[in-house]
Amino acid sequence: MAESVTGPASTYDVHVEHDVIVPMRDGVQLATNILRPVGDSQPLEARLPVLLQRTPYNKSSESRMAEASFFASQGYVSVIQDCRGRYASQGGFSKYVDEGNDGYDTIEWLAQQSWCNGKVGAYGLSYAAHTQAALACLNPPNLACLWLDCGGFSNAFISGCRNGGAFELRQATWAYREALESPEVKNDPIKKLGLEQQSMPDWFQRIPWKAGQSPLRGSLDYESYLLEIWRHEKFDEYWEQVGLCAEAHYAQLADVPQVHLGGWYDTYSLSTTDNYTALSPMKHGPVSLIMGPWTHGARSVSYSGDVDFGERSTIDGNLGADYNSYRLAFFDYWLKGQDTAWRKEPAVRIFVMGGGSGQRNDSGRLNHGGNWRSEDNWPLERAQETRFFLHPDGGLSQDTVLGGSLYSRFLFDPTNPVPTIGGNVSSGMPILEPGAFDQREAPRFYGCRPPYLPLASRPDVLVFQTEPLGEELEVTGPISVRLWVSSTAPDTDFTAKLLDIYPPSEDYPQGYALNLTDGILRCKFRDSWKNPQPMEPGKVYAITLRLYPTSNLFVPGHSIRLDISSSNFPRLDVNGNTGENPAISQVKVPAENTLYHDAEHLSHILLPVVPTK
């Protein structure tokens, strides 16, 4: 079926062909919309560059068609395709792992069409960025450039699906929501009604789930996918597949101009920066990095959670142009050879959070502020890795003089985990809300209970905090925490969270504990992701937690705080402390966990401090 549409401020009218069939190597047919510029009432006969987006989220949705129409109006053949097993495309859906071959075959097909000049660029958000990374790992010869927006796994085992050995439960909420949109369910009224009647908050109280006894039992593809990836807790060939682990395929990954864009509160901030760090010296590219203060895909709003960063924090506010026009400058430069503003684009753009008034704005959000900055590299070469030591009295400083108790101890009860309040999550509603929040319990956050006190008041949360700063201190880059620990259990988790602590004010009489980044380690993976080893109860182990990257300016009067605990639920599954896989084992037992901070065990956080003068 074909139709003509006219987009706003178009250079060309646009001709649309819906559900064009593109065959894959195994015979599966993928439905594809093709949008072509119109000249003299007919699609242009000239060979043009092609822009491709592959998505599981309905190629024909109004927003995606509008996006594709914009690029077609600017002289591109704009192509959107439903991923295998989604919407109008054939086949069974298996999340992530089919996207490499399907993307490669699609580009090969596009290059053979009479309207293609042999250059194909790819773009898209989230899963549509994963599809780009997957096909790029196979280096299709006609791929010319990439714009990966909040996605493209560097290693899904390290972040995105698992995190420090724990499983990211947003995969469960995603699977439930998308199962409702699967052809299998949409075409069966009984299955659809059965799924719609499930309560995810109730099911999260019954983790782990069993095959046929889960909220997804009406959708075999989605239940099978979720249980397989959840139960696959060791790093092996499964996780090295194209689509899940770009770093295993970096050597052959397409050497084309590429942009990696993400947000400090995005699920994929670690993948985004890891991909840039690895690929920028390896590829001629060039490879670019853009990091804003956003949650997943929210680059056009000025806030994250309950915290606002100012009008200039949006990508439009920074660039003085809308997002489509910004990307168009990139594509015109690399696909059409035009001299656009992209020629002067820096290698790295980052938003340094902080420095705002600290007052509550008209929308009821904390004004944290911040500013954009151009850089030549990531991590920043001038950043100085600085150790802040955890002191027995709850202090946090560069001073290694320790006194008092040699350790801090707490009881970790996996039936009463520390609730998640914001952070780097996506696709989590109605269970998880992403972003920056005061770390105080509230009814809006799953797992919180009256009397809704600060998380720091829990007995299973250890708090280490600097004195109020006398001068500003910028932290920008990768963050890690080195701890010496022991446990009464054969396995347990340790978590770490970095916060910017506001002093009390008129708008916030109790201050504001702003979460910046966090991390976790499942201790049996302390030495190897492939060969987990149990802990010997009471033995002291050195462990390293890798937190997500961030960029924040701590201003005078604020404090830096590090919280240590053993759970972050429902963002991550809870360790039952038995050494068994919590995706399978129903057994949960308390563990007495100990953190050491004496002269022989200098537990610390490693902060990349950027000189401000």
Side-chain angles (χ1 to χ4, degrees):
M1 181 176 68
E3 63 180 271
S4 291
V5 297
T6 301
S10 299
T11 302
Y12 297 98
D13 287 344
V14 177
H15 175 83
V16 184
E17 288 185 86
H18 290 281
D19 295 319
V20 175
I21 296 303
V22 177
M24 300 293 102
R25 65 188 67 182
D26 60 356
V28 169
Q29 297 181 340
L30 302 189
T32 308
N33 291 348
I34 300 175
L35 296 80
R36 296 173 60 191
V38 170
D40 297 327
S41 301
Q42 295 293 328
L44 296 179
E45 294 298 327
R47 291 179 177 269
L48 300 173
V50 176
L51 288 177
L52 169 66
Q53 179 177 168
R54 303 190 63 255
T55 178
Y57 300 129
N58 189 2
K59 69 183 184 313
S60 298
S61 70
E62 183 178 352
S63 62
R64 287 177 183 82
M65 286 297 289
E67 186 179 37
S69 294
F70 169 80
F71 290 120
S73 76
Q74 303 301 313
Y76 291 90
V77 177
S78 193
V79 176
I80 321 177
Q81 184 179 79
D82 286 331
C83 289
R84 176 183 294 245
R86 296 290 290 175
Y87 293 89
S89 285
Q90 293 181 350
F93 180 71
S94 182
K95 194 177 183 185
Y96 305 131
V97 297
D98 288 322
E99 308 307 347
N101 286 338
D102 287 353
Y104 185 102
D105 292 352
T106 299
I107 290 180
E108 287 288 284
W109 183 88
L110 291 171
Q112 295 170 13
Q113 304 311 301
S114 62
W115 34 255
C116 177
N117 70 356
K119 293 183 178 181
V120 180
Y123 72 98
L125 166 69
S126 190
Y127 198 102
H130 298 329
T131 62
Q132 293 179 68
L135 67 86
C137 286
L138 301 180
N139 194 19
N142 294 97
L143 179 64
C145 61
L146 300 161
W147 186 289
L148 298 99
D149 187 344
C150 295
F153 290 120
S154 59
N155 185 333
F157 184 90
I158 300 299
S159 69
C161 291
R162 305 195 73 88
N163 183 339
F167 184 71
E168 296 196 10
L169 289 169
R170 67 183 190 84
Q171 292 288 340
T173 51
W174 184 95
Y176 172 73
R177 186 190 68 212
E178 296 306 322
L180 287 167
E181 298 297 323
S182 67
E184 172 191 13
V185 172
K186 293 181 74 172
N187 296 330
D188 186 326
I190 301 302
K191 285 185 177 180
K192 182 174 174 58
L193 181 61
L195 271 180
E196 289 175 341
Q197 292 180 344
Q198 303 304 315
S199 167
M200 290 300 281
D202 289 346
W203 276 104
F204 265 61
Q205 297 181 45
R206 287 288 174 86
I207 290 173
W209 300 337
K210 296 174 283 189
Q213 296 297 323
S214 82
L216 293 162
R217 61 183 179 269
S219 176
L220 180 61
D221 278 356
Y222 289 79
E223 185 184 68
S224 297
Y225 149 74
L226 177 64
L227 295 182
E228 179 183 23
I229 200 168
W230 194 347
R231 294 172 178 178
H232 220 101
E233 69 166 351
K234 300 177 186 178
F235 185 75
D236 55 16
E237 293 83 0
Y238 174 87
W239 291 103
E240 293 181 321
Q241 294 179 88
V242 166
L244 287 171
C245 189
E247 68 179 21
H249 308 276
Y250 278 154
Q252 66 266 29
L253 190 144
D255 190 352
V256 297
Q258 53 195 274
V259 174
H260 297 263
L261 180 146
W264 300 129
Y265 290 98
D266 179 33
T267 307
Y268 303 110
S269 62
L270 191 57
S271 269
T272 300
T273 53
D274 278 358
N275 279 333
Y276 173 81
T277 300
L279 293 172
S280 56
M282 184 184 297
K283 308 294 182 182
H284 294 94
V287 183
S288 301
L289 176 68
I290 303 169
M291 294 296 295
W294 314 305
T295 55
H296 187 63
R299 44 182 143 62
S300 297
V301 298
S302 66
Y303 58 87
S304 171
D306 279 350
V307 175
D308 199 285
F309 302 98
E311 292 182 0
R312 291 191 66 252
S313 65
T314 68
I315 199 158
D316 298 356
N318 171 49
L319 301 165
D322 64 87
Y323 187 49
N324 278 343
S325 297
Y326 184 49
R327 289 184 294 179
L328 182 64
F330 170 80
F331 292 129
D332 282 351
Y333 188 77
W334 292 112
L335 294 177
K336 293 183 177 179
Q338 296 180 0
D339 188 11
T340 70
W342 193 263
R343 177 172 55 84
K344 299 181 180 180
E345 188 69 13
V348 176
R349 284 184 184 266
I350 60 171
F351 188 87
V352 183
M353 303 181 291
S357 69
Q359 298 175 342
R360 191 189 303 270
N361 66 15
D362 293 340
S363 299
R365 296 186 175 90
L366 173 76
N367 179 7
H368 189 56
N371 288 284
W372 285 97
R373 196 167 67 211
S374 298
E375 297 287 351
D376 295 328
N377 47 61
W378 178 273
L380 309 188
E381 290 182 355
R382 67 184 184 282
Q384 301 168 358
E385 293 192 339
T386 306
R387 292 191 294 176
F388 283 74
F389 298 95
L390 284 58
H391 288 249
D393 61 357
L396 182 69
S397 77
Q398 298 178 55
D399 186 1
T400 60
V401 177
L402 303 173
S405 175
L406 301 180
Y407 57 83
S408 299
R409 183 173 293 166
F410 61 93
L411 183 68
F412 164 40
D413 181 355
T415 66
N416 181 28
V418 178
T420 301
I421 298 180
N424 298 66
V425 296
S426 66
S427 305
M429 298 300 286
I431 305 295
L432 291 157
E433 188 170 355
F437 296 93
D438 188 7
Q439 295 298 288
R440 178 182 297 271
E441 296 189 54
R444 68 193 284 193
F445 300 112
Y446 184 90
C448 293
R449 304 170 184 171
Y452 302 118
L453 296 174
L455 288 184
S457 68
R458 289 179 56 114
D460 56 354
V461 176
L462 304 179
V463 176
F464 301 90
Q465 183 170 317
T466 67
E467 295 294 327
L469 300 175
E471 56 186 21
E472 61 185 32
L473 185 149
E474 180 189 328
V475 171
T476 295
I479 312 289
S480 63
V481 174
R482 183 72 166 170
L483 303 177
W484 278 259
V485 300
S486 67
S487 178
T488 57
D491 184 38
T492 193
D493 291 349
F494 279 89
T495 64
K497 183 186 298 179
L498 177 67
L499 306 98
D500 184 343
I501 305 302
Y502 276 76
S505 65
E506 183 176 350
D507 286 339
Y508 300 97
Q510 299 183 64
Y512 199 100
L514 168 60
N515 59 304
L516 296 173
T517 180
D518 58 57
I520 190 169
L521 181 70
R522 188 148 289 168
C523 288
K524 66 183 178 183
F525 295 107
R526 63 193 177 276
D527 297 322
S528 170
W529 301 122
K530 295 183 177 182
N531 300 300
Q533 297 295 323
M535 303 173 74
E536 181 181 328
K539 182 177 178 180
V540 179
Y541 296 92
I543 63 172
T544 299
L545 286 68
R546 190 182 185 198
L547 281 59
Y548 282 61
T550 193
S551 180
N552 188 70
L553 181 68
F554 295 86
V555 300
H558 287 214
S559 298
I560 303 170
R561 195 174 93 195
L562 180 68
D563 291 354
I564 303 295
S565 191
S566 288
S567 53
N568 185 357
F569 179 79
R571 179 181 172 190
L572 302 160
D573 66 353
V574 180
N575 197 328
N577 297 323
T578 63
E580 300 173 317
N581 184 351
I584 300 171
S585 175
Q586 299 279 354
V587 179
K588 298 178 175 67
V589 298
E592 190 175 287
N593 290 342
T594 302
L595 168 68
Y596 296 86
H597 34 56
D598 57 77
E600 294 183 4
H601 307 98
L602 295 173
S603 294
H604 61 271
I605 182 170
L606 191 62
L607 296 178
V609 175
V610 179
T612 56
K613 296 180 180 179

